[in-house]
Amino acid sequence: MTTPVKRLPRRVPGWAKVVGALVLVLVVFFAGIRLSVVPGLKDLFGTETQDRSGPALLKSIQDLSRYDAASGNFQVVVDLEKDAKFLPDAIRGTRTLYVGAGTVDAYVDLGKVGDDDVQVNGDRTSATLRLPHAQLGKPALDPDRSYAVSKQRGLFDRLGDLFSDNPNGEQAVQKLAVRHIGDAAKESELTARAESNTTGMLEGLLRSLGFKEVRVSYGS
């Protein structure tokens, strides 16, 4: 009669335990980042936002003499891609598809109107005004209507975001969107509309003061 020999359990090497623990930590870490998309677990790993900003300080006051006569709403789709030489996009590179929405104002600077630019006849029934041409203001990007459609990043870029103070920064695409919006405003008829609206405003104002004939022209 023979007695079966029991096999002793094989001991797991120490290095295997260390590797296994490290893998487990990484899995939990990355899972914690993505758990916000899992229903029911968002509150467990969620974050709280507290506004600890100080009061706003008034730095300066400027008197404005310009008449904002027109405003244009623009939208642009920015496709910005950054590649690294000799490396595939999966390793190093980014591509961002961004929708930028903003406004550009057109105005007439009435502060540049001199005494020689305004002529009134003796009985104050006729007025002739010469105004500077309308100008475009700086484009203002609307954060509530601007958003990133998609972001593609290489492995190195993803790792860099983990140690960055501003991961997934969108400054580059935002600046590009502002530039494109400004270029579109220059090609539009926004300044012409501003001059037309300014003329209508001045004609209505002066006629309400008793002027029967009002002529407005534009030039430098």
Side-chain angles (χ1 to χ4, degrees):
M1 184 175 181
T2 60
T3 302
V5 180
K6 296 182 178 181
R7 295 183 179 180
L8 297 177
R10 299 180 62 181
R11 301 185 61 182
V12 179
W15 63 268
K17 294 181 179 180
V18 174
V19 172
L22 181 60
V23 171
L24 180 61
V25 170
L26 292 177
V27 169
V28 173
F29 176 73
F30 287 104
I33 297 177
R34 302 296 182 183
L35 275 177
S36 60
V37 300
V38 180
L41 295 180
K42 183 177 181 180
D43 295 337
L44 180 62
F45 292 92
T47 59
E48 295 182 358
T49 301
Q50 297 182 3
D51 186 1
R52 302 184 184 275
S53 306
L57 300 178
L58 177 63
K59 303 295 292 185
S60 64
I61 296 178
Q62 294 180 345
D63 294 330
L64 299 179
S65 59
R66 74 184 197 182
Y67 175 65
D68 290 330
S71 181
N73 294 300
F74 298 88
Q75 187 178 74
V76 61
V77 178
V78 178
D79 188 353
L80 181 61
E81 183 176 2
K82 295 182 178 180
D83 298 324
K85 293 183 178 180
F86 312 115
L87 288 177
D89 295 341
I91 300 298
R92 182 64 186 273
T94 61
R95 183 177 182 180
T96 305
L97 191 63
Y98 184 83
V99 176
T103 59
V104 179
D105 294 334
Y107 65 93
V108 175
D109 192 353
L110 300 179
K112 295 182 178 180
V113 178
D115 296 336
D116 298 335
D117 297 323
V118 180
Q119 298 178 4
V120 180
N121 63 349
D123 56 359
R124 298 182 61 84
T125 59
S126 176
T128 301
L129 297 88
R130 184 174 179 83
L131 308 178
H133 283 294
Q135 304 177 52
L136 294 175
K138 293 182 179 180
L141 197 65
D142 188 351
D144 294 331
R145 297 189 295 123
S146 303
Y147 55 93
V149 178
S150 65
K151 297 179 182 179
Q152 300 176 6
R153 295 169 294 157
L155 177 61
F156 288 173
D157 298 278
R158 292 177 180 271
L159 293 176
D161 288 343
L162 295 177
F163 303 97
S164 174
D165 294 334
N166 185 23
N168 303 330
E170 297 178 351
Q171 292 89 343
V173 289
Q174 289 175 351
K175 291 181 179 180
L176 197 57
V178 168
R179 192 180 75 184
H180 287 320
I181 290 176
D183 293 339
K186 294 177 182 178
E187 298 177 359
S188 69
E189 299 180 356
L190 196 57
T191 54
R193 175 69 65 87
E195 292 181 0
S196 176
N197 292 343
T198 303
T199 299
M201 181 272 296
L202 291 175
E203 288 178 347
L205 176 62
L206 293 177
R207 286 197 173 97
S208 67
L209 297 176
F211 289 88
K212 297 180 179 180
E213 184 179 359
V214 179
R215 292 187 294 270
V216 180
S217 61
Y218 295 86
S220 56

